[in-house]
Amino acid sequence: MTVLEKIGSPPARLAGTALYDWDFLVQEDRAHRLIYTDPAIFEAEMTNIFGGTWTYLAHESEIANDNDFITRRMGLRPLIVLRDATGTIRALYNRCTHRGTTLCRWDKGNAKSFQCPYHGWNFLNTGKLRGVPWPDGYAEDMRDAKYNLAQVPRVESYRGFIFGTLNMDALPLTDHLGPIAKIIDEWLDRNPGGKVVVCEANRFRYKGNWKLAYDNSCDGYHVAYSHRSLLETENRFAGENAKGMAYYRNSPDAQPMYMRYTGHGNHFKDKRPNLEQRPGGLWALESAHPGMEHYEAEFIKRYGDRAFSLLDLAGSEPVNINVFPNFSLLGNHIQVFEPVSVDATNAIWYGTMVVDDGTLGDAVTDINALRMRTQEGFPNFGEVDDVANFEQIQHGLMAIEDEWVYMNRGLGIPGRIKTNADGSITAPATDEAFMREHFKEWKRLMKARPNLAIRREP
Ligand code: FES
Ligand SMILES: [Fe+2]
């Protein structure tokens, strides 16, 4: 049996009347500046979005063994995501039930219990209070469940990706992912054994609202302009204009790539149709990086015909898969958007490694060394372009009287946007259809009175 505590929120301000007229703030073709700048809206998002829907927390490979833990956040809530002694994955609130200090100050580790640094209360990694110093000073029974750590009541994994929600009425995770699960499968299944292991991360903090990153996650309109220096760098030594994201340069909407919205705020931009379908087709797109020619020559010498399929495992998969509100798979990365305040966000890029399923042998180390090099590419030379624009938007939106941002590209042009049999929507790569659609989901969640709860061990 578990103990569920229903949350009295939405916060008092939301309980009576709505905080704002959401239909006014987010219209079909435009969004009001307040949704990016108003601290009260940010606070409501921390309950209704980061809490009201599934939020990505961590990858199972980060807590591979029993009693492994990692500290993460769900919105602003500090969490300890762990595997307990029986292998059960839990997301405990990293918040001592005594006076509220964070319990665990480490990023990751292995522990059966956590001792609070303040007064020494000790908790098992199931969340249960194990003991307090000098218990004879308490008249109350300290075995009362209210002293056990709060935890996220629903934690589910999809093929290693761990998500959590406080919303007792949310769909099961697989149903929530819906058609995008198949694209996640394809992203995983090109790797041996259909899996990856998560490594360390590139960490950025930008001075802008978290939604600016999600609004960019499927944006094919900005690439040729925002990332011009990266495109030029990638192609300077290539002798041809075909490296990296070069296909954005000339009429990107005439290319076979496309974007698709799959529901619940999720979408992907599929650049895979632009690839040559042959071993080495993906590797051919990789821009110059140190040591590349040496590795390529050595792979050909050692592995012969297999060399280029092995090198493709190091290449960056050209698809951006975005699960609202905070998760993206792009290239070989997992990118996580972590709100800090209304005008600050962490954008974290986790690298991933492939594992040897018996078919890679000694090539696995070299493939992963190359993956690290390719992973240095976009996060270092592309993400900086994007976060510079996010910060400049936050500045621009301080022009109070100029109220709207537009997302109407592709809207109202007959035949341009197609609805598929599964209800998903396909549009050309530069359309803002993805943004119009994820804002419908944002608005639905902001209007909702979610059935939120936390759980404690009995
Ligand atoms: S705040 Fe944790 S033991 Fe006092
Ligand atoms: Fe970008």
Side-chain angles (χ1 to χ4, degrees):
M1 202 198 88
T2 56
V3 179
L4 281 176
E5 290 173 24
K6 299 267 278 179
I7 308 296
S9 52
R13 190 168 40 233
L14 285 176
T17 52
L19 178 59
Y20 282 108
D21 177 351
W22 304 113
D23 289 326
F24 175 73
L25 291 186
V26 176
Q27 301 178 13
E28 189 172 25
D29 61 333
R30 61 184 190 171
H32 197 277
R33 59 177 286 280
L34 277 177
I35 70 164
Y36 300 97
T37 59
D38 185 341
I41 293 180
F42 177 81
E43 193 183 320
E45 286 178 330
M46 292 306 104
T47 302
N48 279 38
I49 310 282
F50 291 83
T53 190
W54 289 99
T55 301
Y56 177 72
L57 301 179
H59 190 263
E60 286 187 24
S61 64
E62 295 174 283
I63 46 169
N65 306 304
D66 291 350
N67 303 313
D68 278 356
F69 71 85
I70 192 151
T71 49
R72 286 292 152 84
R73 295 231 306 263
M74 177 194 267
L76 300 182
R77 299 167 196 88
L79 298 180
I80 312 171
V81 180
L82 58 79
R83 221 180 262 275
D84 70 18
T86 66
T88 303
I89 295 175
R90 297 171 183 270
L92 306 178
Y93 277 41
N94 189 8
R95 184 249 190 234
C96 182
T97 46
H98 178 214
R99 297 249 210 103
T101 182
T102 55
L103 191 57
C104 175
R105 313 271 169 93
W106 299 88
D107 294 335
K108 57 184 164 187
N110 183 280
K112 293 193 175 113
S113 64
F114 298 94
Q115 178 159 291
C116 181
Y118 199 179
H119 311 91
W121 285 23
N122 195 290
F123 298 87
L124 293 171
N125 65 6
T126 57
K128 253 178 121 69
L129 179 62
R130 184 189 184 195
V132 303
W134 307 296
D136 49 358
Y138 283 101
E140 236 186 297
D141 183 357
M142 297 306 284
R143 286 168 304 187
D144 190 312
K146 72 182 180 190
Y147 297 119
N148 297 333
L149 296 177
Q151 46 193 299
V152 178
R154 298 182 63 193
V155 177
E156 292 176 23
S157 285
Y158 183 75
R159 295 196 59 180
F161 300 109
I162 307 167
F163 291 76
T165 182
L166 307 183
N167 188 348
M168 302 312 290
D169 295 338
L171 290 171
L173 177 63
T174 311
D175 297 343
H176 174 79
L177 292 173
I180 207 141
K182 177 172 166 284
I183 313 304
I184 296 174
D185 290 346
E186 289 168 6
W187 189 87
L188 283 167
D189 289 338
R190 85 178 186 95
N191 302 310
K195 58 180 176 184
V196 292
V197 166
V198 171
C199 1
E200 249 312 329
N202 269 24
R203 293 164 198 275
F204 293 82
R205 175 169 293 183
Y206 67 85
K207 295 181 198 143
N209 187 268
W210 67 272
K211 294 188 291 302
L212 298 171
Y214 202 78
D215 294 349
N216 176 261
S217 63
C218 217
D219 185 320
Y221 197 25
H222 75 297
V223 178
Y225 294 89
S226 291
H227 301 303
R228 196 172 75 191
S229 63
L230 173 61
L231 262 65
E232 285 178 2
T233 307
E234 286 179 329
N235 285 284
R236 191 174 303 145
F237 300 113
E240 51 183 335
N241 183 15
K243 295 288 188 184
M245 301 180 293
Y247 39 72
Y248 280 105
R249 278 180 157 168
N250 305 313
S251 315
D253 288 347
Q255 302 285 334
M257 63 182 168
Y258 61 93
M259 63 120 302
R260 184 168 295 163
Y261 179 77
T262 63
H264 299 134
N266 309 328
H267 37 62
F268 65 96
K269 188 157 46 112
D270 195 353
K271 300 161 277 181
R272 294 171 301 179
N274 294 1
L275 280 189
E276 286 176 51
Q277 299 301 319
R278 61 170 171 90
L282 186 54
W283 178 246
L285 242 61
E286 281 303 331
S287 50
H289 47 76
M292 180 183 213
E293 302 82 353
H294 170 77
Y295 272 94
E296 187 177 302
E298 196 59 29
F299 267 59
I300 292 168
K301 200 160 78 188
R302 278 197 222 162
Y303 308 114
D305 288 348
R306 286 180 65 215
F308 282 99
S309 3
L310 292 171
L311 287 165
D312 279 342
L313 290 175
S316 308
E317 181 76 334
V319 57
N320 300 19
I321 305 168
N322 311 304
V323 178
F324 186 78
N326 70 332
F327 173 83
S328 282
L329 294 174
L330 67 174
N332 297 330
H333 298 87
I334 300 168
Q335 191 184 17
V336 180
F337 312 123
E338 228 181 56
V340 175
S341 64
V342 68
D343 55 3
T345 306
N346 293 330
I348 306 170
W349 294 66
Y350 294 93
T352 62
M353 295 189 295
V354 294
V355 284
D356 182 20
D357 63 343
T359 62
L360 297 182
D362 62 356
V364 69
T365 311
D366 297 319
I367 290 167
N368 284 328
L370 278 172
R371 279 173 81 95
M372 193 171 73
R373 292 277 93 87
T374 61
Q375 285 164 358
E376 285 166 351
F378 192 85
N380 286 284
F381 298 106
E383 178 71 355
V384 289
D385 301 330
D386 288 325
V387 299
N389 280 317
F390 305 159
E391 294 194 346
Q392 292 304 319
I393 292 173
Q394 204 73 29
H395 282 304
L397 296 181
M398 289 300 117
I400 299 168
E401 297 75 19
D402 203 0
E403 296 170 294
W404 299 99
V405 298
Y406 289 92
M407 48 181 174
N408 56 342
R409 185 172 169 80
L411 181 67
I413 301 177
R416 191 170 163 104
I417 296 169
K418 299 191 174 51
T419 304
N420 307 302
D422 62 0
S424 63
I425 291 165
T426 304
T430 69
D431 274 26
E432 288 165 334
F434 75 94
M435 192 169 158
R436 295 192 289 276
E437 295 299 328
H438 74 229
F439 268 120
K440 287 179 193 160
E441 177 70 358
W442 182 89
K443 195 156 71 170
R444 185 186 74 76
L445 290 164
M446 294 302 278
K447 284 182 181 177
R449 304 289 292 271
N451 177 20
L452 304 186
I454 52 170
R455 189 165 76 76
R456 295 182 204 274
E457 286 297 289

